[in-house]
mmCIF file with all atom_site columns, all heavy atoms in Angstrom:
data_model
loop_
_atom_site.group_PDB
_atom_site.id
_atom_site.type_symbol
_atom_site.label_atom_id
_atom_site.label_alt_id
_atom_site.label_comp_id
_atom_site.label_asym_id
_atom_site.label_entity_id
_atom_site.label_seq_id
_atom_site.pdbx_PDB_ins_code
_atom_site.Cartn_x
_atom_site.Cartn_y
_atom_site.Cartn_z
_atom_site.occupancy
_atom_site.B_iso_or_equiv
_atom_site.pdbx_formal_charge
_atom_site.auth_seq_id
_atom_site.auth_comp_id
_atom_site.auth_asym_id
_atom_site.auth_atom_id
_atom_site.pdbx_PDB_model_num
ATOM 1   N N   . ILE A 1 1  ? 9.783  -17.884 61.554 1.00 96.00 ? 1  ILE A N   1
ATOM 2   C CA  . ILE A 1 1  ? 10.189 -19.280 61.368 1.00 96.00 ? 1  ILE A CA  1
ATOM 3   C C   . ILE A 1 1  ? 11.706 -19.409 61.447 1.00 96.00 ? 1  ILE A C   1
ATOM 4   O O   . ILE A 1 1  ? 12.224 -20.391 61.995 1.00 96.00 ? 1  ILE A O   1
ATOM 5   C CB  . ILE A 1 1  ? 9.606  -19.834 60.048 1.00 96.00 ? 1  ILE A CB  1
ATOM 6   C CG1 . ILE A 1 1  ? 8.095  -20.055 60.232 1.00 96.00 ? 1  ILE A CG1 1
ATOM 7   C CG2 . ILE A 1 1  ? 10.301 -21.114 59.615 1.00 96.00 ? 1  ILE A CG2 1
ATOM 8   C CD1 . ILE A 1 1  ? 7.359  -20.523 59.002 1.00 96.00 ? 1  ILE A CD1 1
ATOM 9   N N   . SER A 1 2  ? 12.442 -18.419 60.941 1.00 96.00 ? 2  SER A N   1
ATOM 10  C CA  . SER A 1 2  ? 13.904 -18.450 61.028 1.00 96.00 ? 2  SER A CA  1
ATOM 11  C C   . SER A 1 2  ? 14.368 -18.305 62.477 1.00 96.00 ? 2  SER A C   1
ATOM 12  O O   . SER A 1 2  ? 15.304 -18.997 62.905 1.00 96.00 ? 2  SER A O   1
ATOM 13  C CB  . SER A 1 2  ? 14.525 -17.353 60.166 1.00 96.00 ? 2  SER A CB  1
ATOM 14  O OG  . SER A 1 2  ? 14.239 -17.570 58.809 1.00 96.00 ? 2  SER A OG  1
ATOM 15  N N   . CYS A 1 3  ? 13.732 -17.407 63.212 1.00 96.00 ? 3  CYS A N   1
ATOM 16  C CA  . CYS A 1 3  ? 14.066 -17.262 64.641 1.00 96.00 ? 3  CYS A CA  1
ATOM 17  C C   . CYS A 1 3  ? 13.844 -18.586 65.364 1.00 96.00 ? 3  CYS A C   1
ATOM 18  O O   . CYS A 1 3  ? 14.693 -19.031 66.141 1.00 96.00 ? 3  CYS A O   1
ATOM 19  C CB  . CYS A 1 3  ? 13.214 -16.172 65.287 1.00 96.00 ? 3  CYS A CB  1
ATOM 20  S SG  . CYS A 1 3  ? 13.651 -14.492 64.829 1.00 96.00 ? 3  CYS A SG  1
ATOM 21  N N   . ALA A 1 4  ? 12.715 -19.206 65.085 1.00 94.00 ? 4  ALA A N   1
ATOM 22  C CA  . ALA A 1 4  ? 12.421 -20.503 65.703 1.00 94.00 ? 4  ALA A CA  1
ATOM 23  C C   . ALA A 1 4  ? 13.443 -21.546 65.280 1.00 94.00 ? 4  ALA A C   1
ATOM 24  O O   . ALA A 1 4  ? 13.862 -22.385 66.092 1.00 94.00 ? 4  ALA A O   1
ATOM 25  C CB  . ALA A 1 4  ? 11.007 -20.947 65.330 1.00 94.00 ? 4  ALA A CB  1
ATOM 26  N N   . GLY A 1 5  ? 13.868 -21.499 64.013 1.00 91.00 ? 5  GLY A N   1
ATOM 27  C CA  . GLY A 1 5  ? 14.851 -22.456 63.516 1.00 91.00 ? 5  GLY A CA  1
ATOM 28  C C   . GLY A 1 5  ? 16.170 -22.384 64.266 1.00 91.00 ? 5  GLY A C   1
ATOM 29  O O   . GLY A 1 5  ? 16.777 -23.415 64.582 1.00 91.00 ? 5  GLY A O   1
ATOM 30  N N   . VAL A 1 6  ? 16.634 -21.169 64.547 1.00 91.00 ? 6  VAL A N   1
ATOM 31  C CA  . VAL A 1 6  ? 17.877 -21.008 65.300 1.00 91.00 ? 6  VAL A CA  1
ATOM 32  C C   . VAL A 1 6  ? 17.723 -21.634 66.683 1.00 91.00 ? 6  VAL A C   1
ATOM 33  O O   . VAL A 1 6  ? 18.593 -22.378 67.149 1.00 91.00 ? 6  VAL A O   1
ATOM 34  C CB  . VAL A 1 6  ? 18.302 -19.520 65.402 1.00 91.00 ? 6  VAL A CB  1
ATOM 35  C CG1 . VAL A 1 6  ? 19.478 -19.352 66.354 1.00 91.00 ? 6  VAL A CG1 1
ATOM 36  C CG2 . VAL A 1 6  ? 18.647 -18.969 64.026 1.00 91.00 ? 6  VAL A CG2 1
ATOM 37  N N   . HIS A 1 7  ? 16.607 -21.367 67.340 1.00 90.00 ? 7  HIS A N   1
ATOM 38  C CA  . HIS A 1 7  ? 16.369 -21.924 68.679 1.00 90.00 ? 7  HIS A CA  1
ATOM 39  C C   . HIS A 1 7  ? 16.254 -23.447 68.630 1.00 90.00 ? 7  HIS A C   1
ATOM 40  O O   . HIS A 1 7  ? 16.819 -24.138 69.473 1.00 90.00 ? 7  HIS A O   1
ATOM 41  C CB  . HIS A 1 7  ? 15.119 -21.311 69.305 1.00 90.00 ? 7  HIS A CB  1
ATOM 42  C CG  . HIS A 1 7  ? 15.323 -19.913 69.773 1.00 90.00 ? 7  HIS A CG  1
ATOM 43  N ND1 . HIS A 1 7  ? 16.037 -19.594 70.903 1.00 90.00 ? 7  HIS A ND1 1
ATOM 44  C CD2 . HIS A 1 7  ? 14.928 -18.731 69.242 1.00 90.00 ? 7  HIS A CD2 1
ATOM 45  C CE1 . HIS A 1 7  ? 16.060 -18.280 71.064 1.00 90.00 ? 7  HIS A CE1 1
ATOM 46  N NE2 . HIS A 1 7  ? 15.405 -17.731 70.062 1.00 90.00 ? 7  HIS A NE2 1
ATOM 47  N N   . ILE A 1 8  ? 15.538 -23.952 67.646 1.00 88.00 ? 8  ILE A N   1
ATOM 48  C CA  . ILE A 1 8  ? 15.373 -25.404 67.523 1.00 88.00 ? 8  ILE A CA  1
ATOM 49  C C   . ILE A 1 8  ? 16.721 -26.061 67.256 1.00 88.00 ? 8  ILE A C   1
ATOM 50  O O   . ILE A 1 8  ? 17.053 -27.086 67.864 1.00 88.00 ? 8  ILE A O   1
ATOM 51  C CB  . ILE A 1 8  ? 14.350 -25.747 66.419 1.00 88.00 ? 8  ILE A CB  1
ATOM 52  C CG1 . ILE A 1 8  ? 12.956 -25.370 66.901 1.00 88.00 ? 8  ILE A CG1 1
ATOM 53  C CG2 . ILE A 1 8  ? 14.410 -27.223 66.036 1.00 88.00 ? 8  ILE A CG2 1
ATOM 54  C CD1 . ILE A 1 8  ? 11.881 -25.418 65.823 1.00 88.00 ? 8  ILE A CD1 1
ATOM 55  N N   . GLY A 1 9  ? 17.495 -25.485 66.353 1.00 82.00 ? 9  GLY A N   1
ATOM 56  C CA  . GLY A 1 9  ? 18.824 -26.026 66.078 1.00 82.00 ? 9  GLY A CA  1
ATOM 57  C C   . GLY A 1 9  ? 19.713 -26.003 67.305 1.00 82.00 ? 9  GLY A C   1
ATOM 58  O O   . GLY A 1 9  ? 20.469 -26.940 67.557 1.00 82.00 ? 9  GLY A O   1
ATOM 59  N N   . ASN A 1 10 ? 19.605 -24.941 68.081 1.00 83.00 ? 10 ASN A N   1
ATOM 60  C CA  . ASN A 1 10 ? 20.412 -24.804 69.286 1.00 83.00 ? 10 ASN A CA  1
ATOM 61  C C   . ASN A 1 10 ? 20.029 -25.847 70.329 1.00 83.00 ? 10 ASN A C   1
ATOM 62  O O   . ASN A 1 10 ? 20.878 -26.354 71.044 1.00 83.00 ? 10 ASN A O   1
ATOM 63  C CB  . ASN A 1 10 ? 20.237 -23.389 69.841 1.00 83.00 ? 10 ASN A CB  1
ATOM 64  C CG  . ASN A 1 10 ? 21.206 -23.073 70.943 1.00 83.00 ? 10 ASN A CG  1
ATOM 65  O OD1 . ASN A 1 10 ? 20.850 -23.084 72.104 1.00 83.00 ? 10 ASN A OD1 1
ATOM 66  N ND2 . ASN A 1 10 ? 22.447 -22.787 70.569 1.00 83.00 ? 10 ASN A ND2 1
ATOM 67  N N   . VAL A 1 11 ? 18.748 -26.206 70.383 1.00 82.00 ? 11 VAL A N   1
ATOM 68  C CA  . VAL A 1 11 ? 18.273 -27.130 71.407 1.00 82.00 ? 11 VAL A CA  1
ATOM 69  C C   . VAL A 1 11 ? 18.259 -28.582 70.927 1.00 82.00 ? 11 VAL A C   1
ATOM 70  O O   . VAL A 1 11 ? 18.723 -29.483 71.607 1.00 82.00 ? 11 VAL A O   1
ATOM 71  C CB  . VAL A 1 11 ? 16.854 -26.722 71.887 1.00 82.00 ? 11 VAL A CB  1
ATOM 72  C CG1 . VAL A 1 11 ? 16.270 -27.748 72.831 1.00 82.00 ? 11 VAL A CG1 1
ATOM 73  C CG2 . VAL A 1 11 ? 16.895 -25.353 72.549 1.00 82.00 ? 11 VAL A CG2 1
ATOM 74  N N   . PHE A 1 12 ? 17.728 -28.816 69.731 1.00 74.00 ? 12 PHE A N   1
ATOM 75  C CA  . PHE A 1 12 ? 17.454 -30.184 69.306 1.00 74.00 ? 12 PHE A CA  1
ATOM 76  C C   . PHE A 1 12 ? 18.411 -30.758 68.275 1.00 74.00 ? 12 PHE A C   1
ATOM 77  O O   . PHE A 1 12 ? 18.383 -31.948 68.004 1.00 74.00 ? 12 PHE A O   1
ATOM 78  C CB  . PHE A 1 12 ? 16.038 -30.285 68.729 1.00 74.00 ? 12 PHE A CB  1
ATOM 79  C CG  . PHE A 1 12 ? 14.972 -30.041 69.739 1.00 74.00 ? 12 PHE A CG  1
ATOM 80  C CD1 . PHE A 1 12 ? 14.237 -28.875 69.715 1.00 74.00 ? 12 PHE A CD1 1
ATOM 81  C CD2 . PHE A 1 12 ? 14.721 -30.974 70.721 1.00 74.00 ? 12 PHE A CD2 1
ATOM 82  C CE1 . PHE A 1 12 ? 13.254 -28.648 70.650 1.00 74.00 ? 12 PHE A CE1 1
ATOM 83  C CE2 . PHE A 1 12 ? 13.736 -30.750 71.665 1.00 74.00 ? 12 PHE A CE2 1
ATOM 84  C CZ  . PHE A 1 12 ? 12.998 -29.583 71.632 1.00 74.00 ? 12 PHE A CZ  1
ATOM 85  N N   . GLY A 1 13 ? 19.182 -29.938 67.617 1.00 59.00 ? 13 GLY A N   1
ATOM 86  C CA  . GLY A 1 13 ? 20.090 -30.469 66.612 1.00 59.00 ? 13 GLY A CA  1
ATOM 87  C C   . GLY A 1 13 ? 19.485 -30.501 65.234 1.00 59.00 ? 13 GLY A C   1
ATOM 88  O O   . GLY A 1 13 ? 18.453 -29.887 64.967 1.00 59.00 ? 13 GLY A O   1
ATOM 89  N N   . ASN A 1 14 ? 20.087 -31.269 64.343 1.00 56.00 ? 14 ASN A N   1
ATOM 90  C CA  . ASN A 1 14 ? 19.713 -31.222 62.927 1.00 56.00 ? 14 ASN A CA  1
ATOM 91  C C   . ASN A 1 14 ? 18.692 -32.274 62.515 1.00 56.00 ? 14 ASN A C   1
ATOM 92  O O   . ASN A 1 14 ? 18.557 -32.570 61.340 1.00 56.00 ? 14 ASN A O   1
ATOM 93  C CB  . ASN A 1 14 ? 20.965 -31.316 62.056 1.00 56.00 ? 14 ASN A CB  1
ATOM 94  C CG  . ASN A 1 14 ? 21.715 -32.615 62.258 1.00 56.00 ? 14 ASN A CG  1
ATOM 95  O OD1 . ASN A 1 14 ? 21.300 -33.470 63.024 1.00 56.00 ? 14 ASN A OD1 1
ATOM 96  N ND2 . ASN A 1 14 ? 22.831 -32.740 61.583 1.00 56.00 ? 14 ASN A ND2 1
ATOM 97  N N   . ARG A 1 15 ? 17.941 -32.824 63.429 1.00 64.00 ? 15 ARG A N   1
ATOM 98  C CA  . ARG A 1 15 ? 16.947 -33.847 63.092 1.00 64.00 ? 15 ARG A CA  1
ATOM 99  C C   . ARG A 1 15 ? 15.836 -33.335 62.193 1.00 64.00 ? 15 ARG A C   1
ATOM 100 O O   . ARG A 1 15 ? 15.249 -34.108 61.446 1.00 64.00 ? 15 ARG A O   1
ATOM 101 C CB  . ARG A 1 15 ? 16.330 -34.420 64.361 1.00 64.00 ? 15 ARG A CB  1
ATOM 102 C CG  . ARG A 1 15 ? 17.272 -35.331 65.111 1.00 64.00 ? 15 ARG A CG  1
ATOM 103 C CD  . ARG A 1 15 ? 16.597 -35.833 66.329 1.00 64.00 ? 15 ARG A CD  1
ATOM 104 N NE  . ARG A 1 15 ? 17.148 -35.043 67.427 1.00 64.00 ? 15 ARG A NE  1
ATOM 105 C CZ  . ARG A 1 15 ? 16.734 -35.078 68.659 1.00 64.00 ? 15 ARG A CZ  1
ATOM 106 N NH1 . ARG A 1 15 ? 15.738 -35.850 68.994 1.00 64.00 ? 15 ARG A NH1 1
ATOM 107 N NH2 . ARG A 1 15 ? 17.290 -34.345 69.579 1.00 64.00 ? 15 ARG A NH2 1
ATOM 108 N N   . PHE A 1 16 ? 15.499 -32.052 62.251 1.00 65.00 ? 16 PHE A N   1
ATOM 109 C CA  . PHE A 1 16 ? 14.343 -31.523 61.530 1.00 65.00 ? 16 PHE A CA  1
ATOM 110 C C   . PHE A 1 16 ? 14.687 -30.848 60.210 1.00 65.00 ? 16 PHE A C   1
ATOM 111 O O   . PHE A 1 16 ? 13.796 -30.527 59.441 1.00 65.00 ? 16 PHE A O   1
ATOM 112 C CB  . PHE A 1 16 ? 13.590 -30.516 62.406 1.00 65.00 ? 16 PHE A CB  1
ATOM 113 C CG  . PHE A 1 16 ? 13.118 -31.104 63.697 1.00 65.00 ? 16 PHE A CG  1
ATOM 114 C CD1 . PHE A 1 16 ? 13.680 -30.699 64.890 1.00 65.00 ? 16 PHE A CD1 1
ATOM 115 C CD2 . PHE A 1 16 ? 12.135 -32.063 63.709 1.00 65.00 ? 16 PHE A CD2 1
ATOM 116 C CE1 . PHE A 1 16 ? 13.252 -31.232 66.087 1.00 65.00 ? 16 PHE A CE1 1
ATOM 117 C CE2 . PHE A 1 16 ? 11.701 -32.611 64.904 1.00 65.00 ? 16 PHE A CE2 1
ATOM 118 C CZ  . PHE A 1 16 ? 12.259 -32.194 66.098 1.00 65.00 ? 16 PHE A CZ  1
ATOM 119 N N   . GLU A 1 17 ? 15.949 -30.598 59.952 1.00 65.00 ? 17 GLU A N   1
ATOM 120 C CA  . GLU A 1 17 ? 16.357 -29.806 58.784 1.00 65.00 ? 17 GLU A CA  1
ATOM 121 C C   . GLU A 1 17 ? 15.831 -30.396 57.480 1.00 65.00 ? 17 GLU A C   1
ATOM 122 O O   . GLU A 1 17 ? 15.196 -29.715 56.679 1.00 65.00 ? 17 GLU A O   1
ATOM 123 C CB  . GLU A 1 17 ? 17.877 -29.718 58.757 1.00 65.00 ? 17 GLU A CB  1
ATOM 124 C CG  . GLU A 1 17 ? 18.422 -28.982 57.568 1.00 65.00 ? 17 GLU A CG  1
ATOM 125 C CD  . GLU A 1 17 ? 19.934 -29.007 57.547 1.00 65.00 ? 17 GLU A CD  1
ATOM 126 O OE1 . GLU A 1 17 ? 20.567 -29.631 58.416 1.00 65.00 ? 17 GLU A OE1 1
ATOM 127 O OE2 . GLU A 1 17 ? 20.481 -28.387 56.631 1.00 65.00 ? 17 GLU A OE2 1
ATOM 128 N N   . ARG A 1 18 ? 16.071 -31.648 57.225 1.00 72.00 ? 18 ARG A N   1
ATOM 129 C CA  . ARG A 1 18 ? 15.662 -32.296 55.979 1.00 72.00 ? 18 ARG A CA  1
ATOM 130 C C   . ARG A 1 18 ? 14.137 -32.337 55.856 1.00 72.00 ? 18 ARG A C   1
ATOM 131 O O   . ARG A 1 18 ? 13.574 -32.069 54.811 1.00 72.00 ? 18 ARG A O   1
ATOM 132 C CB  . ARG A 1 18 ? 16.243 -33.702 55.912 1.00 72.00 ? 18 ARG A CB  1
ATOM 133 C CG  . ARG A 1 18 ? 15.847 -34.439 54.654 1.00 72.00 ? 18 ARG A CG  1
ATOM 134 C CD  . ARG A 1 18 ? 16.555 -35.739 54.549 1.00 72.00 ? 18 ARG A CD  1
ATOM 135 N NE  . ARG A 1 18 ? 17.949 -35.435 54.227 1.00 72.00 ? 18 ARG A NE  1
ATOM 136 C CZ  . ARG A 1 18 ? 18.880 -36.333 54.039 1.00 72.00 ? 18 ARG A CZ  1
ATOM 137 N NH1 . ARG A 1 18 ? 18.598 -37.600 54.160 1.00 72.00 ? 18 ARG A NH1 1
ATOM 138 N NH2 . ARG A 1 18 ? 20.100 -35.978 53.727 1.00 72.00 ? 18 ARG A NH2 1
ATOM 139 N N   . TYR A 1 19 ? 13.463 -32.649 56.962 1.00 76.00 ? 19 TYR A N   1
ATOM 140 C CA  . TYR A 1 19 ? 11.999 -32.747 56.936 1.00 76.00 ? 19 TYR A CA  1
ATOM 141 C C   . TYR A 1 19 ? 11.344 -31.397 56.659 1.00 76.00 ? 19 TYR A C   1
ATOM 142 O O   . TYR A 1 19 ? 10.313 -31.326 55.997 1.00 76.00 ? 19 TYR A O   1
ATOM 143 C CB  . TYR A 1 19 ? 11.480 -33.337 58.243 1.00 76.00 ? 19 TYR A CB  1
ATOM 144 C CG  . TYR A 1 19 ? 12.008 -34.728 58.493 1.00 76.00 ? 19 TYR A CG  1
ATOM 145 C CD1 . TYR A 1 19 ? 12.866 -34.972 59.555 1.00 76.00 ? 19 TYR A CD1 1
ATOM 146 C CD2 . TYR A 1 19 ? 11.678 -35.784 57.644 1.00 76.00 ? 19 TYR A CD2 1
ATOM 147 C CE1 . TYR A 1 19 ? 13.370 -36.246 59.781 1.00 76.00 ? 19 TYR A CE1 1
ATOM 148 C CE2 . TYR A 1 19 ? 12.172 -37.055 57.865 1.00 76.00 ? 19 TYR A CE2 1
ATOM 149 C CZ  . TYR A 1 19 ? 13.014 -37.285 58.932 1.00 76.00 ? 19 TYR A CZ  1
ATOM 150 O OH  . TYR A 1 19 ? 13.505 -38.538 59.151 1.00 76.00 ? 19 TYR A OH  1
ATOM 151 N N   . ALA A 1 20 ? 11.945 -30.332 57.170 1.00 72.00 ? 20 ALA A N   1
ATOM 152 C CA  . ALA A 1 20 ? 11.401 -28.991 56.928 1.00 72.00 ? 20 ALA A CA  1
ATOM 153 C C   . ALA A 1 20 ? 11.446 -28.644 55.452 1.00 72.00 ? 20 ALA A C   1
ATOM 154 O O   . ALA A 1 20 ? 10.485 -28.102 54.898 1.00 72.00 ? 20 ALA A O   1
ATOM 155 C CB  . ALA A 1 20 ? 12.176 -27.948 57.742 1.00 72.00 ? 20 ALA A CB  1
ATOM 156 N N   . ALA A 1 21 ? 12.546 -28.949 54.791 1.00 70.00 ? 21 ALA A N   1
ATOM 157 C CA  . ALA A 1 21 ? 12.671 -28.641 53.361 1.00 70.00 ? 21 ALA A CA  1
ATOM 158 C C   . ALA A 1 21 ? 11.704 -29.502 52.544 1.00 70.00 ? 21 ALA A C   1
ATOM 159 O O   . ALA A 1 21 ? 11.085 -29.015 51.592 1.00 70.00 ? 21 ALA A O   1
ATOM 160 C CB  . ALA A 1 21 ? 14.108 -28.856 52.902 1.00 70.00 ? 21 ALA A CB  1
ATOM 161 N N   . ILE A 1 22 ? 11.559 -30.770 52.892 1.00 80.00 ? 22 ILE A N   1
ATOM 162 C CA  . ILE A 1 22 ? 10.610 -31.639 52.186 1.00 80.00 ? 22 ILE A CA  1
ATOM 163 C C   . ILE A 1 22 ? 9.191  -31.125 52.380 1.00 80.00 ? 22 ILE A C   1
ATOM 164 O O   . ILE A 1 22 ? 8.409  -31.033 51.428 1.00 80.00 ? 22 ILE A O   1
ATOM 165 C CB  . ILE A 1 22 ? 10.756 -33.101 52.659 1.00 80.00 ? 22 ILE A CB  1
ATOM 166 C CG1 . ILE A 1 22 ? 12.106 -33.671 52.212 1.00 80.00 ? 22 ILE A CG1 1
ATOM 167 C CG2 . ILE A 1 22 ? 9.604  -33.966 52.155 1.00 80.00 ? 22 ILE A CG2 1
ATOM 168 C CD1 . ILE A 1 22 ? 12.455 -35.019 52.820 1.00 80.00 ? 22 ILE A CD1 1
ATOM 169 N N   . PHE A 1 23 ? 8.846  -30.767 53.620 1.00 78.00 ? 23 PHE A N   1
ATOM 170 C CA  . PHE A 1 23 ? 7.517  -30.233 53.910 1.00 78.00 ? 23 PHE A CA  1
ATOM 171 C C   . PHE A 1 23 ? 7.255  -28.961 53.102 1.00 78.00 ? 23 PHE A C   1
ATOM 172 O O   . PHE A 1 23 ? 6.188  -28.804 52.505 1.00 78.00 ? 23 PHE A O   1
ATOM 173 C CB  . PHE A 1 23 ? 7.385  -29.941 55.412 1.00 78.00 ? 23 PHE A CB  1
ATOM 174 C CG  . PHE A 1 23 ? 6.097  -29.264 55.782 1.00 78.00 ? 23 PHE A CG  1
ATOM 175 C CD1 . PHE A 1 23 ? 4.906  -29.956 55.798 1.00 78.00 ? 23 PHE A CD1 1
ATOM 176 C CD2 . PHE A 1 23 ? 6.088  -27.914 56.111 1.00 78.00 ? 23 PHE A CD2 1
ATOM 177 C CE1 . PHE A 1 23 ? 3.722  -29.324 56.133 1.00 78.00 ? 23 PHE A CE1 1
ATOM 178 C CE2 . PHE A 1 23 ? 4.906  -27.274 56.455 1.00 78.00 ? 23 PHE A CE2 1
ATOM 179 C CZ  . PHE A 1 23 ? 3.719  -27.984 56.463 1.00 78.00 ? 23 PHE A CZ  1
ATOM 180 N N   . GLY A 1 24 ? 8.225  -28.062 53.064 1.00 70.00 ? 24 GLY A N   1
ATOM 181 C CA  . GLY A 1 24 ? 8.063  -26.816 52.303 1.00 70.00 ? 24 GLY A CA  1
ATOM 182 C C   . GLY A 1 24 ? 7.840  -27.086 50.826 1.00 70.00 ? 24 GLY A C   1
ATOM 183 O O   . GLY A 1 24 ? 6.991  -26.457 50.190 1.00 70.00 ? 24 GLY A O   1
ATOM 184 N N   . GLY A 1 25 ? 8.580  -28.035 50.256 1.00 74.00 ? 25 GLY A N   1
ATOM 185 C CA  . GLY A 1 25 ? 8.402  -28.398 48.848 1.00 74.00 ? 25 GLY A CA  1
ATOM 186 C C   . GLY A 1 25 ? 7.020  -28.958 48.575 1.00 74.00 ? 25 GLY A C   1
ATOM 187 O O   . GLY A 1 25 ? 6.358  -28.597 47.595 1.00 74.00 ? 25 GLY A O   1
ATOM 188 N N   . ILE A 1 26 ? 6.545  -29.839 49.452 1.00 83.00 ? 26 ILE A N   1
ATOM 189 C CA  . ILE A 1 26 ? 5.211  -30.424 49.291 1.00 83.00 ? 26 ILE A CA  1
ATOM 190 C C   . ILE A 1 26 ? 4.132  -29.352 49.387 1.00 83.00 ? 26 ILE A C   1
ATOM 191 O O   . ILE A 1 26 ? 3.174  -29.349 48.599 1.00 83.00 ? 26 ILE A O   1
ATOM 192 C CB  . ILE A 1 26 ? 4.989  -31.550 50.323 1.00 83.00 ? 26 ILE A CB  1
ATOM 193 C CG1 . ILE A 1 26 ? 5.895  -32.748 49.993 1.00 83.00 ? 26 ILE A CG1 1
ATOM 194 C CG2 . ILE A 1 26 ? 3.524  -31.979 50.372 1.00 83.00 ? 26 ILE A CG2 1
ATOM 195 C CD1 . ILE A 1 26 ? 5.938  -33.808 51.078 1.00 83.00 ? 26 ILE A CD1 1
ATOM 196 N N   . VAL A 1 27 ? 4.292  -28.424 50.328 1.00 77.00 ? 27 VAL A N   1
ATOM 197 C CA  . VAL A 1 27 ? 3.314  -27.341 50.481 1.00 77.00 ? 27 VAL A CA  1
ATOM 198 C C   . VAL A 1 27 ? 3.233  -26.508 49.201 1.00 77.00 ? 27 VAL A C   1
ATOM 199 O O   . VAL A 1 27 ? 2.140  -26.202 48.708 1.00 77.00 ? 27 VAL A O   1
ATOM 200 C CB  . VAL A 1 27 ? 3.662  -26.446 51.701 1.00 77.00 ? 27 VAL A CB  1
ATOM 201 C CG1 . VAL A 1 27 ? 2.891  -25.139 51.676 1.00 77.00 ? 27 VAL A CG1 1
ATOM 202 C CG2 . VAL A 1 27 ? 3.384  -27.197 52.994 1.00 77.00 ? 27 VAL A CG2 1
ATOM 203 N N   . LEU A 1 28 ? 4.374  -26.154 48.624 1.00 72.00 ? 28 LEU A N   1
ATOM 204 C CA  . LEU A 1 28 ? 4.366  -25.338 47.403 1.00 72.00 ? 28 LEU A CA  1
ATOM 205 C C   . LEU A 1 28 ? 3.719  -26.086 46.232 1.00 72.00 ? 28 LEU A C   1
ATOM 206 O O   . LEU A 1 28 ? 2.943  -25.500 45.466 1.00 72.00 ? 28 LEU A O   1
ATOM 207 C CB  . LEU A 1 28 ? 5.777  -24.891 47.041 1.00 72.00 ? 28 LEU A CB  1
ATOM 208 C CG  . LEU A 1 28 ? 6.394  -23.861 47.989 1.00 72.00 ? 28 LEU A CG  1
ATOM 209 C CD1 . LEU A 1 28 ? 7.819  -23.555 47.583 1.00 72.00 ? 28 LEU A CD1 1
ATOM 210 C CD2 . LEU A 1 28 ? 5.569  -22.592 48.045 1.00 72.00 ? 28 LEU A CD2 1
#
């Protein structure tokens, strides 16, 4: 997931950062 994060950040920018943390919190 971290490897994918670097690639996603490199390509798409920071649009997903906040949503990923919220999703992780909800999952836990």
Side-chain angles (χ1 to χ4, degrees):
I1 287 177
S2 296
C3 287
V6 172
H7 286 286
I8 289 169
N10 190 257
V11 173
F12 294 108
N14 62 2
R15 287 180 258 173
F16 302 111
E17 177 184 3
R18 179 173 288 181
Y19 299 114
I22 292 170
F23 174 74
I26 291 170
V27 166
L28 290 177

